[in-house]
């Protein structure tokens, strides 16, 4: 009986891992029925601007519940993570680069979808994510999309950034792969784990 339970648990974890590995792409256009007025389009930009200008650039993570809907799924390329995991990831990189600044270069709205083209800059002087400070400058460029409803982000899609970041920091490939494998495992398991156990891993 114990063997059967163990096999079921392994199957659940593997299933979660396979689901997590699939790249989920945002819809090409806004959500059906999401025609918005110019005024509403400007309102939809507000939580996205708060995310970059307040949370990321000034470390105001207390705004999380104001910016995001609860249980908002976040996607990074092929990684699908819980909101809490994504926020923890952002906090870790801010610890690694305390002078981190994220600038929105372009922001557009189509229906309930907001697209931001951004630049992130900083200096690796901290110990975030267990990496020793290198003193190197970081400069990343990316594009993210957000579905906004009732003034909050309800789903987010980001390009994967870690390979380029590790390259700029001079992280050896085996270490980068080990880091990603461990993080991907926790992310994959998160969808099958109870909340309390998931937060213990984080």
């Amino acid at each position: 009986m114990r063997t059967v339970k163990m096999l079921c648990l392994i199957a659940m974890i593997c299933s979660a891992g396979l689901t997590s590995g699939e790249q989920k792409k945002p819809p090409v256009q806004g959500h059906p029925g999401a025609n918005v007025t110019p005024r509403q389009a400007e309102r939809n930009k507000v939580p996205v601007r708060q995310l970059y200008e307040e949370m990321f650039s000034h470390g105001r993570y207390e705004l999380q519940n104001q910016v995001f809907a609860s249980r908002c799924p976040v996607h990074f390329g092929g990684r699908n993570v819980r909101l809490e995991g994504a926020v923890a990831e952002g906090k870790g990189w801010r610890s690694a680069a305390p002078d981190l600044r994220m600038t929105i270069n372009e922001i557009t709205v189509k229906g309930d979808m907001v697209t931001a083209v951004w630049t992130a800059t900083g200096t690796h002087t901290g110990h975030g994510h267990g990496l020793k400070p290198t003193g190197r400058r970081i400069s990343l460029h990316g594009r993210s999309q957000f579905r906004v409803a009732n003034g909050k982000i309800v789903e987010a899609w980001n390009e994967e950034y870690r390979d380029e970041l590790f390259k700029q920091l001079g992280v050896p490939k085996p270490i980068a792969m080990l880091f990603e494998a461990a993080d991907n495992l926790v992310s994959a398991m998160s969808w099958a784990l109870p909340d309390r156990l998931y937060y213990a891993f984080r």
Side-chain angles (χ1 to χ4, degrees):
M1 187 69 172
R2 183 176 297 174
T3 304
V4 173
K5 287 182 178 179
M6 184 63 72
L7 288 173
C8 287
L9 179 60
I10 291 171
M12 283 175 55
I13 292 172
C14 289
S15 172
L18 289 173
T19 303
S20 169
E22 295 173 1
Q23 183 164 357
K24 188 171 182 183
K25 296 182 180 179
V28 177
Q29 300 193 8
H31 195 264
N35 294 326
V36 296
T37 64
R39 187 174 181 181
Q40 183 59 51
E42 289 304 310
R43 287 179 182 167
N44 285 350
K45 292 179 185 178
V46 171
V48 176
R49 289 193 184 280
Q50 288 178 314
L51 174 64
Y52 289 100
E53 296 169 4
E54 300 293 330
M55 290 182 68
F56 287 152
S57 293
H58 293 286
R60 296 193 58 200
Y61 290 100
E62 71 274 10
L63 295 176
Q64 176 181 327
N65 293 333
Q66 182 178 323
V67 171
F68 291 98
S70 61
R71 298 188 177 274
C72 167
V74 182
H75 314 284
F76 293 93
R79 294 188 294 132
N80 305 316
V81 301
R82 290 184 180 187
L83 174 60
E84 292 77 10
V87 170
E89 187 170 329
K91 287 180 178 178
W93 291 123
R94 182 163 182 78
S95 295
D99 63 344
L100 178 68
R101 288 292 178 270
M102 294 196 74
T103 304
I104 298 175
N105 303 320
E106 182 183 350
I107 187 168
T108 57
V109 180
K110 192 167 189 177
D112 59 358
M113 296 294 295
V114 180
T115 300
V117 177
W118 51 264
T119 300
T121 57
T123 314
H124 187 210
T125 57
H127 291 267
H129 289 302
L131 299 173
K132 291 182 180 180
T134 62
R136 296 190 181 199
R137 286 289 295 168
I138 300 165
S139 181
L140 298 173
H141 305 278
R143 179 175 177 271
S144 300
Q145 290 182 272
F146 307 90
R147 177 173 288 141
V148 177
N150 299 317
K152 294 185 179 183
I153 297 169
V154 296
E155 191 162 9
W157 294 264
N158 306 281
E159 297 172 345
E160 182 57 82
Y161 66 91
R162 292 190 304 192
D163 289 346
E164 177 60 24
L165 180 57
F166 287 146
K167 182 180 176 182
Q168 291 188 23
L169 294 178
V171 177
K173 202 161 189 177
I175 301 298
M177 290 175 66
L178 186 61
F179 177 94
E180 290 184 2
D183 192 67
N184 289 343
L185 179 61
V186 172
S187 294
M189 290 173 63
S190 72
W191 302 101
L193 293 173
D195 286 347
R196 190 167 14 175
L197 190 54
Y198 168 73
Y199 295 128
F201 276 104
R202 285 294 177 184

